[in-house]
Amino acid sequence: MRHLAKAVFVAGALVCGVSGPLSAQADLDYGDLRERMVAIIEMHAAVVNGEAGVEPPGERVLEAMQRVERHRFVPEDLAPLAYLDTPLPVGHQQNIAQPYIIALMTELAEVQPGDRVFETGTGAGYHAALLAELGAEVFSVEIVGALAERAANVLLDLGYDDVDIRIADGYDGWSEAAPFDAMLIKESVVDVPPSLIAQLKPGGRMVVPIGPPDGQQHLTVLSKDKAGNVTRRKVLPVRFSPFQGGRRT
């Protein structure tokens, strides 16, 4: 492994006010688009709350999303689409996740200033930036080296120096940096790896999609009490890609 220096809801046809050729990026007000994205997340959350009883993301998370420049984390030609409530491709057959799901997972993790937070699937680095914006010290693992290196560079350029990125298999966690106050597992698992549960601090929370790779999964919150006992709470049906990488036995 290499260590880099710090450095089943479908979005509707909402376009956040983007019109005209995608090449006309100079005319876009990205700050305005971020505000519109947050408004759409709030509408999306209201629908999900009504249908599934899922509490919406809180004010701290939404305010952080208004500050993080999501368009800096996607390929340049997709920057005008960065604030749609939909996943976007970032290369190497990977996507930057839907903003609503990012907001929901972050809220469920209850990230507080000073928390040590582990995440798998660094991808473009946007979620790591959001966690850092909330005051967390972030330990992020990405198995695709080119993605990890690009994310590290973007995060450094934007001043997020409380993010450590490692090129490795997230299934194994990051034992040297554990225990963690919160853990965000952004690939599906049939069973949560014992190694990850062991790295969760007593009193901590893990947010993870659990279920078969080709069937229904549930976004689930694992909470570990002070005695080390773990409880689970299903939140929402979702569809995530399974972990990439090595053996799963």
Side-chain angles (χ1 to χ4, degrees):
M1 66 181 62
R2 284 197 289 154
H3 179 212
L4 299 182
K6 284 190 175 179
V8 147
F9 288 89
V10 179
L14 296 167
V15 296
C16 293
V18 176
S19 61
L22 292 183
S23 60
Q25 295 184 32
D27 297 330
L28 294 177
D29 182 340
Y30 286 114
D32 180 63
L33 292 182
R34 280 195 295 280
E35 290 184 8
R36 297 187 186 202
M37 177 188 72
V38 168
I40 291 170
I41 291 171
E42 291 179 306
M43 289 188 289
H44 192 157
V47 171
V48 177
N49 178 259
E51 293 182 352
V54 178
E55 290 298 317
E59 185 174 326
R60 285 184 64 245
V61 171
L62 296 179
E63 287 181 350
M65 295 186 85
Q66 287 185 330
R67 295 192 296 269
V68 179
E69 298 179 345
R70 192 172 191 255
H71 66 280
R72 297 287 297 274
F73 293 89
V74 301
E76 186 175 358
D77 60 333
L78 295 181
L81 306 179
Y83 298 104
L84 299 179
D85 190 27
T86 185
L88 290 172
V90 294
H92 304 275
Q93 299 182 315
Q94 302 297 309
N95 293 324
I96 186 172
Q98 177 187 5
Y100 168 71
I101 291 295
I102 290 175
L104 177 61
M105 293 184 73
T106 305
E107 181 69 25
L108 292 170
E110 301 178 27
V111 176
Q112 301 299 317
D115 279 357
R116 294 171 71 84
V117 179
F118 171 81
E119 71 156 353
T120 65
T122 310
Y126 172 74
H127 204 163
L130 178 60
L131 296 168
E133 194 72 38
L134 289 167
E137 185 178 5
V138 185
F139 298 85
S140 185
V141 171
E142 170 59 56
I143 201 166
V144 180
L147 285 177
E149 290 170 357
R150 181 185 183 279
N153 289 332
V154 173
L155 288 162
L156 283 173
D157 286 345
L158 294 177
Y160 293 109
D161 53 8
D162 282 335
V163 179
D164 281 322
I165 297 177
R166 169 180 284 188
I167 301 171
D169 188 342
Y171 195 88
D172 299 319
W174 194 327
S175 59
E176 302 95 316
F180 300 104
D181 299 281
M183 302 179 75
L184 294 163
I185 312 305
K186 296 185 292 184
E187 296 85 10
S188 69
V189 294
V190 177
D191 296 301
V192 181
S195 58
L196 293 183
I197 294 176
Q199 293 175 35
L200 183 64
K201 181 185 292 186
R205 300 146 307 281
M206 180 190 300
V207 184
V208 52
I210 300 177
D214 55 353
Q216 187 179 68
Q217 305 154 5
H218 277 89
L219 195 63
T220 303
V221 179
L222 274 63
S223 300
K224 181 184 284 189
D225 66 20
K226 298 298 184 181
N229 301 308
V230 175
T231 58
R232 302 186 180 201
R233 175 169 64 94
K234 290 183 179 180
V235 176
L236 190 71
V238 290
R239 177 61 67 90
F240 281 70
S241 298
F243 261 116
Q244 304 178 68
R247 294 188 309 164
R248 297 294 180 251
T249 57

